[in-house]
Amino acid sequence: MTSHKPFLIKTITLAIAICCFKLTIAQSDKFRAIIVVEDSIIAHGSHVIFPLLKDTIKIGDNNIAIIDLSNPKNRLFYFTWTGWNSKIFRFDSDSASDEIRKVKVPDTSFYRQFQQKNICPVCLKSRFLIPIVYSFPTEKMFNKAKRNKLRLGGCIIYCYSAKFYCKKDNFEF
Ligand SMILES: [Zn+2]
């Protein structure tokens, strides 16, 4: 009878160890985030954009975006608020860490590397990119814009103004 005891203790110890391990790396198939601008949580008007689905959802009044990663087409997304974009999120699986992430907009440092490499951060290609030009447009610029060779960005340029436009993804960065 007593010979079963060590086995039982080992089994229980192993079960507890597995539970503890799972707790420390808690994973979820839901990605949860709040949007922040200069450390303030954005209350209204932020959206999540899914380029693969060409779909947009509004973030609800509780300010927490919940993205279901079990759908593979939901695994590429970014957040936007009044034209300012977060970084692009890209998941290979349905597993995200089980916490509420703070996502900042605009994320200019994320996009700088793509501007330098001339690569679209959504499709990761360069052949659909055209430059965005900021100045009072000349006739030549108008013609180029008509032929989709450049995009007119208006007369005012800010430090976070987009430099490129991807014609495939309809995305400025
Ligand atoms: Zn693109």
Side-chain angles (χ1 to χ4, degrees), residues 66-80:
I66 300 171
I67 290 148
D68 181 9
L69 298 175
S70 65
N71 179 352
K73 289 195 168 177
N74 281 356
R75 292 178 195 163
L76 179 70
F77 57 89
Y78 60 93
F79 301 89
T80 182

Side-chain angles (χ1 to χ4, degrees), residues 27-31 67-77 89-97:
Q27 296 285 303
S28 169
D29 64 355
K30 305 279 188 296
F31 177 92
I67 290 148
D68 181 9
L69 298 175
S70 65
N71 179 352
K73 289 195 168 177
N74 281 356
R75 292 178 195 163
L76 179 70
F77 57 89
F89 290 87
R90 204 179 286 273
F91 283 86
D92 297 329
S93 70
D94 64 352
S95 179
S97 61

Side-chain angles (χ1 to χ4, degrees), residues 120 122-123 166 169:
C120 168
V122 179
C123 63
C166 178
D169 296 308

Side-chain angles (χ1 to χ4, degrees), residues 86-149:
S86 74
K87 64 174 275 194
I88 308 275
F89 290 87
R90 204 179 286 273
F91 283 86
D92 297 329
S93 70
D94 64 352
S95 179
S97 61
D98 192 14
E99 58 179 332
I100 298 176
R101 297 271 295 268
K102 274 188 180 178
V103 174
K104 71 168 180 176
V105 295
D107 196 335
T108 43
S109 59
F110 173 81
Y111 289 103
R112 199 167 297 130
Q113 52 179 324
F114 291 97
Q115 290 168 347
Q116 285 165 355
K117 290 179 191 164
N118 279 22
I119 293 173
C120 168
V122 179
C123 63
L124 304 177
K125 292 181 173 120
S126 55
R127 66 173 179 272
F128 305 108
L129 295 186
I130 54 171
I132 302 172
V133 180
Y134 297 86
S135 68
F136 191 78
T138 62
E139 202 182 323
K140 199 176 167 186
M141 282 162 66
F142 266 123
N143 288 333
K144 276 191 168 182
K146 263 189 209 162
R147 284 181 284 122
N148 266 340
K149 298 286 180 194

